[in-house]
Amino acid sequence: MNQDHKYFTISINPLHSNLDLSVLFSGEGTPHPLHKMGPAVHDYYLVHTVLSGTGTFETGGRTYTCTAGDSFFIHPGELFTYIADADNPWHYIWVAFTGRSAGTTFAQIGVSPQQAVVSGSNPRKIRHYYRHIRSCFQQSDFPQLEELESEGWLKLLLRELGRANTHHITNKPTAETDIKRQVGQAIRYLELQYTQSVSIDQLARNLGYHRTYLCKMFKQSTGLSPMQYLFNIRMERAKQLLQTAMTIDQVASSVGFNDALYFSKQFHKWSGSAPSVYRKELRQFSL
């Protein structure tokens, strides 16, 4: 038993990795009245969710009174203090994590040192996610698999907290940014589906836009029609693949052309050289 808590349990990740989000530890506890942490800083991200009781959290020049359903967020390097209520100390659960996308994820759900508390989340779902995170590190002889699982549950937890915090998410689209988002969706679709047979009708249908509207917005933003943009993606990728040992047929198939001869004609028209000539020139240049 932790001497600062009436109830305390914790699960620790035995691995140290560099995932996008890597759970370090997760726990649950009921501290004694007036139990205090800080003023201090951590070198990792930490989220507490209050299940019952009351406490006070301070960071970023603000003081918050937190009760059941509130979650408070600690950023690495940011000074914080939190203290349990004297008469009704909180019972909370927590998870600490690091990772390449940790800071970006906090920003995406509308959390910052100046806005460090989220209220109104679904307590049942939240507790469910925390429990799964903790249980990940108690299951098997394969901690690398447990860590992958814990990352998934952590993302679900943060997604749920973000849903409760939409009024603090600042990147809501204006009319202009909404158009950029729509065109961005189309570009992303083409970048991922260029190996497939793609039509404008199919693209518009999959994205939920009218064909004419999509084409107009796309050309205004990029200067190209969607099919011209797709063609350039395929040709640029073909240039990369022609630097490998793949055959012309294999390159053609890999960039969405079923007919290698037709691919060669299109590549010639686009680059000024047939694929075989382009490849030969690359080899001569590298000598």
Side-chain angles (χ1 to χ4, degrees):
M1 175 67 70
N2 183 294
Q3 63 181 1
D4 295 324
H5 291 71
K6 293 184 285 185
Y7 168 74
F8 181 88
T9 183
I10 192 168
S11 294
I12 295 176
N13 182 358
L15 298 182
H16 178 73
S17 66
N18 192 32
L19 297 175
D20 282 345
L21 293 175
S22 181
V23 174
L24 301 177
F25 56 86
S26 182
E28 180 173 348
T30 305
H32 294 297
L34 297 179
H35 167 260
K36 182 180 180 182
M37 285 290 294
V41 297
H42 287 323
D43 58 357
Y44 47 79
Y45 294 84
L46 183 61
V47 184
H48 289 74
T49 297
V50 182
L51 301 179
S52 63
T54 304
T56 302
F57 173 59
E58 299 177 19
T59 194
R62 295 187 62 182
T63 300
Y64 308 84
T65 298
C66 297
T67 58
D70 293 338
S71 296
F72 59 93
F73 296 74
I74 294 171
H75 290 67
E78 291 288 339
L79 197 66
F80 70 87
T81 302
Y82 59 89
I83 182 169
D85 186 72
D87 300 317
N88 186 25
W90 46 21
H91 176 90
Y92 48 35
I93 40 182
W94 65 86
V95 60
F97 59 95
T98 58
R100 298 184 298 270
S101 66
T104 302
T105 302
F106 264 27
Q108 286 174 335
I109 65 174
V111 171
S112 68
Q114 292 72 43
Q115 183 56 54
V117 170
V118 170
S119 301
S121 56
N122 185 316
R124 185 176 179 181
K125 282 188 177 180
I126 292 295
R127 195 167 194 177
H128 172 74
Y129 295 143
Y130 275 108
R131 283 176 172 170
H132 274 287
I133 291 171
R134 291 205 307 277
S135 68
C136 286
F137 306 117
Q138 304 167 2
Q139 291 180 2
S140 74
D141 296 325
F142 300 96
Q144 66 274 25
L145 301 181
E146 295 173 354
E147 183 177 45
L148 287 172
E149 182 183 359
S150 70
E151 182 187 25
W153 286 113
L154 174 61
K155 288 181 176 180
L156 289 172
L157 168 66
L158 295 174
R159 184 277 311 269
E160 194 63 32
L161 293 172
R163 283 180 170 176
N165 201 42
T166 52
H167 54 290
H168 284 299
I169 297 178
T170 57
N171 59 342
K172 299 174 183 176
T174 62
E176 181 181 358
T177 57
D178 192 48
I179 291 172
K180 290 181 180 179
R181 178 183 60 80
Q182 293 166 354
V183 173
Q185 283 181 318
I187 289 173
R188 185 63 173 159
Y189 182 94
L190 296 175
E191 289 174 340
L192 295 175
Q193 297 297 313
Y194 69 89
T195 63
Q196 308 298 318
S197 175
V198 177
S199 70
I200 295 296
D201 288 336
Q202 178 190 28
L203 174 63
R205 185 167 57 252
N206 286 338
L207 295 178
Y209 305 130
H210 190 278
R211 183 185 192 279
T212 303
Y213 171 80
L214 176 63
C215 291
K216 179 182 178 181
M217 294 301 101
F218 198 99
K219 191 155 190 176
Q220 283 183 357
S221 296
T222 67
L224 300 171
S225 71
M227 297 312 290
Q228 289 171 330
Y229 197 94
L230 173 63
F231 183 77
N232 284 343
I233 291 174
R234 287 171 167 168
M235 293 298 105
E236 291 291 347
R237 180 57 177 156
K239 282 175 59 176
Q240 296 173 350
L241 296 178
L242 287 169
Q243 300 176 43
T244 71
M246 294 175 67
T247 67
I248 302 300
D249 282 357
Q250 290 169 338
V251 172
S253 178
S254 297
V255 296
F257 289 85
N258 295 325
D259 186 333
L261 180 59
Y262 180 69
F263 160 72
S264 296
K265 290 179 180 179
Q266 294 301 310
F267 188 85
H268 189 189
K269 185 186 298 185
W270 180 76
S271 69
S273 301
S276 57
V277 175
Y278 179 82
R279 171 174 277 169
K280 184 177 179 180
E281 291 171 347
L282 281 175
R283 290 172 178 170
Q284 289 175 341
F285 182 77
S286 63
L287 294 178

